[in-house]
């Protein structure tokens, strides 16, 4: 039984070999990906470690640049030895002077394939089946190694697919899967490893172990992401500021602190999913510092995500409804979104009697509106969903996933989160935070349950 499974990724230049590997190893920085031929010139390897010294090693290889000439050269070298098998012919080629010379790059690929347990042949199905591909495949298929063909660029409809399948079959490659490196199917990874397990029987144990690990890692990431989001929500819900009436600066400061807290959550999510911090986002998430095109305190952005504005949220007449009589708190969302001056809010509040007036004479308690917190939750959930499905070969800006009907759109906080209003020490945005407080931790776990 194998303890190290060596897989050589081969194929023509620019068909997406490096991109496929980036997706499989979840690393956007592996190798160089450019929209021009010949960016990978040497064999590069990457190891996926498993328990007990077992591992899978992928080899990223350069393309066979001149397969037509190589095919002719090999045939010419072995002209008088027509009884030889393909692999014998390749061995003769590797010992010939041109293997160090004109066909130096091609020789590297062939050597690597021969030294591996199997090859993964990547195809750009948008390409017509040209002679050069025929010769390339004929050479690679004669290496006496099991081969899995991966049809790449399948996100768009391809009419050349059946021609490719015919060619593959003629050179004896019958294991074929669809796997677009940039937009992989949901079960793509599983199917790729399952196909390899059928092809390389001695590697079945290693591949099964890796498949289990993939599933565990996926669940771990999703669970951890929910905890990151839940902690952010608890922080923002428990957050408050004391402000004097008419202190607009207090509201602005508070908004900025909430924005910073959102950015922190986004960075944590990107790190968890192993994406770059400099990643662009199409949805104007504040991924890039200082850019808040449609940020948390923007009514249009909020409506776009389907959040219901609770009564009293936008209408001036009902501002009073969002004043918390018990604590004398006003809600930040309402005040900020209608652009109302704090002073006029206080005027409204005065109608509520002497108790309020007494409180308003000094400082009042500002906290973040339920609706804004629900919006924050939805944004982070959409980001998580999008990262759950995003490939590491995807270089375009991040787009937020769309959610189906979601309970957070009601604009009402679930009970498990609402309790955080009563514990100011639960927020890392307040002074005297108790981050490791047991009750805080269990509240975070409960809120995380609401995010599935
Ligand atoms: N849309 C799309 N683009 C891809 C896919 N695979 C690769 N590319 C792009 O094709 C180009 C070449 O990819 P690369 O991985 O460098 O190919 P290699 O030369 O075979 O390693 C890059 O611009 C990639 O972003 C894919 O599955 N879908
Ligand atoms: Mg490459």
């Amino acid at each position: 039984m194998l303890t190290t499974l060596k897989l050589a990724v081969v194929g023509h230049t620019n068909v997406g070999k490096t991109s496929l590997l980036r997706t499989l190893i979840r690393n956007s920085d592996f190798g160089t990906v450019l929209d021009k031929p010949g960016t990978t010139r040497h064999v590069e390897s990457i190891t996926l470690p498993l328990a007990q010294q077992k591992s899978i090693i992928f080899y990223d290889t350069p393309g066979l640049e001149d397969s037509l000439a190589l095919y002719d050269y090999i045939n010419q070298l072995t002209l008088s030895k027509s009884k030889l098998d393909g692999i014998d012919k390749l061995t003769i080629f590797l010992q010939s002077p041109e293997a160090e010379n004109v066909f130096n790059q091609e020789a590297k690929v062939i050597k690597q394939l021969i030294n591996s347990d199997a090859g993964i042949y990547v195809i750009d199905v948008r390409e017509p089946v040209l002679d050069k591909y025929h010769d390339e495949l004929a050479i690679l298929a004669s290496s006496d190694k099991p081969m899995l063909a991966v049809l790449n660029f399948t996100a768009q409809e391809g009419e050349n697919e059946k021609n490719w399948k015919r060619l593959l079959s003629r050179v004896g490659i019958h294991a074929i899967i669809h796997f677009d490196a940039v937009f992989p199917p949901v079960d793509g990874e599983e199917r790729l490893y399952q196909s390899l397990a059928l092809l390389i029987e001695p590697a079945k144990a290693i591949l099964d172990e890796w498949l289990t690990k993939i599933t565990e890692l996926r669940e771990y990431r999703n669970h951890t992401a929910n905890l990151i989001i839940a902690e952010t929500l608890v922080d923002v819900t428990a957050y408050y500021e004391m402000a004097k009436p008419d202190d607009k600066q207090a509201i602005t400061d508070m908004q900025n602190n909430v924005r910073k807290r959102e950015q922190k959550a986004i960075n944590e999510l990107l790190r968890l999913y192993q994406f770059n911090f400099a990643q662009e986002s199409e949805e104007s998430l504040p991924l890039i510092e200082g850019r808040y095109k449609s940020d948390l305190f923007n009514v249009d952005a909020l409506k776009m995500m389907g959040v219901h504005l609770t009564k009293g949220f936008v209408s001036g007449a009902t501002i009073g409804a969002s004043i918390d009589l018990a604590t004398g708190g006003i809600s930040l969302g309402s005040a900020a979104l209608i652009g109302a001056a704090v002073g006029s809010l206080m005027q409204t509040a005065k109608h509520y009697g002497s108790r309020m007036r007494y409180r308003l004479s000094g400082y009042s308690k500002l906290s973040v509106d339920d609706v804004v917190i629900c919006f924050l939750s939805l944004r982070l959930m959409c980001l998580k969903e999008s990262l759950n499905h995003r490939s590491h070969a995807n270089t375009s800006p991040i787009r937020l996933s769309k959610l189906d009907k979601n309970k957070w759109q009601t604009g009402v906080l679930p009970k498990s989160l609402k309790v955080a209003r009563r514990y100011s020490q639960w927020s890392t945005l307040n002074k005297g935070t108790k981050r490791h407080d047991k009750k805080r931790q269990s509240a975070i776990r409960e809120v995380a349950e609401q995010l599935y």
Side-chain angles (χ1 to χ4, degrees):
M1 203 168 56
L2 275 177
T3 50
T4 304
L5 170 63
K6 296 181 184 166
L7 298 168
V9 179
V10 294
H12 209 76
T13 279
N14 232 20
V15 291
K17 298 183 291 300
T18 306
S19 300
L20 173 72
L21 280 177
R22 283 185 173 185
T23 303
L24 292 178
I25 63 175
R26 305 187 57 80
N27 181 351
S28 337
D29 295 326
F30 175 75
T32 320
V33 167
L34 276 180
D35 204 4
K36 64 170 199 247
T39 41
T40 308
R41 300 212 159 271
H42 310 281
V43 176
E44 264 187 80
S45 71
I46 180 100
T47 303
L48 303 176
L50 283 166
Q52 284 144 13
Q53 317 268 300
K54 282 178 284 186
S55 61
I56 298 175
I57 308 179
F58 283 110
Y59 297 92
D60 190 12
T61 68
L64 298 188
E65 278 191 11
D66 197 353
S67 55
L68 293 170
L70 178 61
Y71 188 76
D72 289 344
Y73 178 66
I74 295 177
N75 276 336
Q76 187 205 322
L77 267 183
T78 55
L79 205 54
S80 56
K81 305 164 185 150
S82 57
K83 285 259 166 59
L84 290 180
D85 284 346
I87 177 71
D88 296 329
K89 292 183 184 174
L90 291 185
T91 311
I92 290 176
F93 158 68
L94 289 176
Q95 287 158 356
S96 77
E98 292 304 349
E100 303 281 324
N101 227 317
V102 191
F103 297 118
N104 163 289
Q105 185 166 312
E106 285 78 0
K108 281 185 203 160
V109 182
I110 293 169
K111 246 186 240 160
Q112 187 56 61
L113 181 57
I114 291 176
N115 287 326
S116 299
D117 299 296
I120 297 177
Y121 183 75
V122 185
I123 293 168
D124 178 351
V125 285
R126 299 168 310 176
E127 284 278 300
V129 183
L130 305 173
D131 284 350
K132 61 177 180 181
Y133 297 127
H134 173 276
D135 289 3
E136 178 178 276
L137 257 181
I139 296 167
L140 295 172
S142 64
S143 65
D144 190 28
K145 291 291 168 183
M147 283 276 210
L148 173 67
V150 171
L151 306 181
N152 192 17
F153 289 97
T154 45
Q156 310 100 298
E157 214 31 63
E159 49 196 65
N160 295 315
E161 193 174 316
K162 63 176 189 308
N163 296 335
W164 273 108
K165 284 185 172 156
R166 193 177 304 134
L167 172 62
L168 287 166
S169 170
R170 287 171 74 145
V171 296
I173 300 175
H174 303 285
I176 305 171
I177 60 161
H178 287 107
F179 190 102
D180 191 284
V182 174
F183 302 105
V186 178
D187 59 344
E189 224 177 338
E190 275 87 352
R191 280 195 294 109
L192 187 135
Y193 291 114
Q194 281 157 359
S195 308
L196 285 171
L198 288 175
L199 214 53
I200 327 161
E201 170 58 27
K204 187 168 178 343
I206 286 191
L207 288 162
D208 282 348
E209 201 176 318
W210 183 247
L211 278 164
T212 310
K213 200 166 163 179
I214 289 175
T215 313
E216 284 168 4
L217 283 173
R218 193 172 293 158
E219 279 159 16
Y220 164 80
R221 278 192 300 268
N222 193 52
H223 177 69
T224 309
N226 284 344
L227 290 174
I228 290 173
I229 300 173
E231 179 163 17
T232 310
L233 297 178
V234 165
D235 266 357
V236 173
T237 308
Y239 175 41
Y240 77 96
E241 290 283 352
M242 299 308 288
K244 278 197 162 165
D246 253 339
D247 186 354
K248 283 191 205 155
Q249 190 56 45
I251 289 187
T252 310
D253 291 348
M254 194 172 195
Q255 287 183 338
N256 283 334
N257 286 336
V258 175
R259 287 180 180 125
K260 272 193 213 135
R261 188 61 188 83
E262 183 188 35
Q263 180 70 67
K264 180 164 175 264
I266 291 169
N267 291 351
E268 283 170 6
L269 289 174
L270 290 177
R271 196 177 313 128
L272 174 68
Y273 284 87
Q274 294 168 259
F275 284 105
N276 255 332
F277 285 89
Q279 204 90 44
E280 275 265 8
S281 124
E282 263 184 17
E283 319 286 325
S284 12
L285 276 179
L287 293 171
I288 293 164
E289 220 171 326
R291 200 184 74 176
Y292 303 116
K293 244 195 279 167
S294 59
D295 84 340
L296 271 174
F297 301 96
N298 178 314
V299 192
D300 292 333
L302 203 146
K303 283 186 187 154
M304 286 261 287
M305 211 164 258
V307 189
H308 286 283
L309 301 182
T310 42
K311 215 171 152 214
F313 194 71
V314 258
S315 145
T318 50
I319 296 168
S322 55
I323 293 174
D324 180 351
L325 283 174
T327 62
I330 58 161
S331 82
L332 171 64
S334 316
L337 284 164
I338 58 169
V342 181
S344 70
L345 262 177
M346 297 304 166
Q347 285 300 324
T348 320
K350 279 180 188 154
H351 295 298
Y352 287 93
S354 58
R355 204 174 101 225
M356 275 307 279
R357 213 169 311 136
Y358 170 73
R359 286 178 182 275
L360 291 172
S361 63
Y363 285 82
S364 274
K365 200 170 177 180
L366 281 176
S367 55
V368 183
D369 199 285
D370 286 14
V371 170
V372 171
I373 297 169
C374 287
F375 182 38
L376 172 63
S377 165
L378 288 166
R379 273 156 75 99
L380 293 176
M381 283 165 85
C382 289
L383 177 63
K384 177 194 83 174
E385 215 29 46
S386 145
L387 298 182
N388 268 332
H389 296 115
R390 185 176 169 87
S391 130
H392 286 71
N394 193 343
T395 49
S396 58
I398 294 178
R399 300 198 65 169
L400 289 189
S401 291
K402 295 274 173 284
L403 287 180
D404 291 336
K405 275 267 158 274
N406 189 289
K407 56 187 179 226
W408 290 87
Q409 286 167 330
T410 56
V412 179
L413 300 186
K415 273 207 192 77
S416 53
L417 181 55
K418 207 155 191 143
V419 292
R421 294 276 193 215
R422 302 206 300 268
Y423 298 94
S424 62
Q425 70 275 24
W426 284 5
S427 177
T428 58
L429 299 169
N430 292 330
K431 289 200 185 75
T433 319
K434 297 202 177 106
R435 261 201 86 176
H436 301 290
D437 182 289
K438 276 214 176 71
K439 269 180 144 177
R440 179 182 188 263
Q441 295 301 330
S442 83
I444 290 172
R445 281 194 297 275
E446 266 187 60
V447 175
E449 288 295 315
Q450 304 290 317
L451 298 169
Y452 277 95

